[in-house]
């Protein structure tokens, strides 16, 4: 039986699209200092609370000062997601 001819399909070339503009919205050089600052503020807040037996940083908050300290630390982790 004779072999049939192999038909070659034309290669698909997508239509020219608009060039994506490379927009650098911000520099990420601020991420590391802000992240470290938030970590250190949170740690200092909790340490000051324990060292002063709850008299500082904000006496009216009581044990909620721990939540505020961990809030700063969580903010540091939130900022760390912007690091590239």
């Amino acid at each position: 039986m004779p072999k049939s001819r192999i038909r070659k399909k034309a290669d698909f070339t997508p239509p020219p699209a608009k060039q994506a503009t490379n927009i650098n919205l911000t520099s990420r050089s601020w991420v590391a200092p802000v992240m470290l600052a938030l970590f250190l503020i949170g740690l200092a807040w909790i340490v000051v609370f324990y060292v002063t037996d709850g008299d500082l940083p904000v006496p009216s908050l009581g044990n909620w000062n721990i939540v505020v300290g961990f809030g700063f630390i969580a903010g540091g982790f939130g900022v760390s997601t912007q690091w590239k």
Side-chain angles (χ1 to χ4, degrees):
M1 182 150 245
K3 191 174 183 182
S4 65
R5 288 188 302 164
I6 298 173
R7 296 182 189 142
K8 186 173 188 302
K9 293 183 180 180
D11 291 335
F12 175 74
T13 55
K18 292 182 180 178
Q19 289 288 348
T21 57
N22 188 5
I23 300 174
N24 188 7
L25 295 177
T26 62
S27 172
R28 302 289 181 166
S29 62
W30 58 272
V31 173
V34 171
M35 177 184 65
L36 291 175
L38 287 173
F39 286 154
L40 292 175
I41 289 170
L43 179 65
W45 193 287
I46 294 170
V47 167
V48 167
F49 174 73
Y50 277 116
V51 168
T52 61
D53 291 327
D55 293 335
L56 290 175
V58 181
S60 62
L61 288 178
N63 287 336
W64 284 97
N65 279 305
I66 298 171
V67 175
V68 172
F70 278 113
F72 278 112
I73 293 171
F77 280 115
V79 169
S80 72
T81 63
Q82 299 299 314
W83 195 346
K84 288 190 177 188

